[in-house]
Amino acid sequence: GAVVSQHPSRVICKSGTSVKIECRSLDFQATTMFWYRQFPKQSLMLMATSNEGSKATYEQGVEKDKFLINHASLTLSTLTVTSAHPEDSSFYICSARRDNSYEQYFGPGTRLTVT
Amino acid sequence: RKEVEQDPGPFNVPEGATVAFNCTYSNSASQSFFWYRQDCRKEPKLLMSVYSSGNEDGRFTAQLNRASQYISLLIRDSKLSDSATYLCVVNTAGNTGKLIFGQGTTLQVKP
C-alpha cells in the first residue's frame, strides 16, 4: 500500500505562536507533496505544492511567508504556520504523489486550533 | 463556475439500493480523474481512478465521458459502511499532479 503519516494529529496553540506539521511518505518516494486546508463542511483547498529540493509553489491567496514549506527529502515535507491566529484554525491535510503516478495518498490530517 | 461540480446531496438510501453520483468538470484539458471517499473528520482515501473505458471494482463502477466532461460513480447493493462523502477529483495541471476537488456528495445508507 501507500502510507502517508502526519504529525501531530491535533494541536492547540496560543495566538502568535508557530506550529510545525510533518508529512511523511512511509513506503514510497514522493518528489511532490501537497498541502491542503479544509474548513468545516467545505471541500479541500490546495494551499501549496511542495517539491523536493526546490521552493514550494503557493496557490493564489496563500501567504508564503506565513505558511512555510520545506521538502528536504523524498519522504518528508513540513508545513510551519507562523504567528498563528484563530482564523488559521482548520484541518490541514498533506498528500504525497507517488513518483510516475497521478494518484495522491493523504495523511490523516492535523486539526489545528488557535486560541 | 466551479472547476469541478457535484451535487452535495445528501443522498439518503436504504441498504441494498443502487445509487449514482455525477460530476462535471470545466477544463477540457483535464487528464486524470478519481473518486475519493472521505469519512467525517478524516482524510480522503482513494476509492478508484476513472478511465475512459470505464472501470469496475466490486460494487463500484466509474465512468468517464470526455465529450460531455462528465464523470459518474455507481454503487450497487449499498452497505451501511458506504455512508461517507464522495469526492470527485480531477487532475488538470499536467505533471505537477495538482488535483482539483469537487465539494463532495454525501451518502447516508439507512438500515
Side-chain angles (χ1 to χ4, degrees), chain B residues 3-4 23-27 29-34 36 71 87-93 97-102:
Chain B
E3 287 192 68
V4 179
C23 167
T24 57
Y25 59 96
S26 61
N27 190 333
S30 299
Q31 299 179 338
S32 304
F33 310 88
F34 310 93
Y36 278 78
I71 305 159
L87 303 169
C88 175
V89 184
V90 173
N91 165 256
T92 299
K98 178 178 166 180
L99 298 180
I100 308 297
F101 284 77

Side-chain angles (χ1 to χ4, degrees), chain B residues 22-105:
Chain B
N22 302 319
C23 167
T24 57
Y25 59 96
S26 61
N27 190 333
S28 60
S30 299
Q31 299 179 338
S32 304
F33 310 88
F34 310 93
W35 283 102
Y36 278 78
R37 169 195 170 128
Q38 186 174 25
D39 291 285
C40 188
R41 299 174 73 84
K42 300 282 189 182
E43 77 278 19
K45 292 191 188 297
L46 179 64
L47 183 64
M48 57 200 307
S49 301
V50 189
Y51 306 111
S52 296
S53 54
N55 48 308
E56 186 174 310
D57 182 3
R59 297 182 293 109
F60 299 84
T61 301
Q63 296 276 355
L64 166 65
N65 184 321
R66 284 189 184 270
S68 303
Q69 295 181 203
Y70 170 95
I71 305 159
S72 66
L73 176 69
L74 183 76
I75 305 176
R76 289 181 297 278
D77 189 23
S78 301
K79 311 288 184 194
L80 296 177
S81 57
D82 294 334
S83 299
T85 297
Y86 291 83
L87 303 169
C88 175
V89 184
V90 173
N91 165 256
T92 299
N95 287 332
T96 67
K98 178 178 166 180
L99 298 180
I100 308 297
F101 284 77
Q103 69 175 106
T105 299

Side-chain angles (χ1 to χ4, degrees), chain A residues 8 18-19 25 29 48 52 55 65 77 89 96 109 112:
Chain A
S18 295
V19 174
S25 57
Q29 291 188 336
E52 187 267 337
K55 289 183 180 179
D65 294 329
S77 176
S89 299
L112 171 65

Side-chain angles (χ1 to χ4, degrees), chain A residues 39-51:
Chain A
F39 292 105
K41 298 190 186 302
Q42 295 186 24
S43 191
L44 278 75
M45 295 300 297
L46 180 65
M47 298 175 68
T49 302
S50 170
N51 298 296

Side-chain angles (χ1 to χ4, degrees), chain A residues 23-65:
Chain A
C23 178
R24 291 181 189 273
S25 57
L26 296 184
D27 54 356
F28 64 99
Q29 291 188 336
T31 304
T32 306
M33 292 185 176
F34 302 86
W35 288 96
Y36 296 84
R37 181 167 52 182
Q38 187 175 34
F39 292 105
K41 298 190 186 302
Q42 295 186 24
S43 191
L44 278 75
M45 295 300 297
L46 180 65
M47 298 175 68
T49 302
S50 170
N51 298 296
E52 187 267 337
S54 65
K55 289 183 180 179
T57 304
Y58 290 82
E59 295 300 301
Q60 195 172 8
V62 178
E63 299 173 57
K64 63 176 171 41
D65 294 329

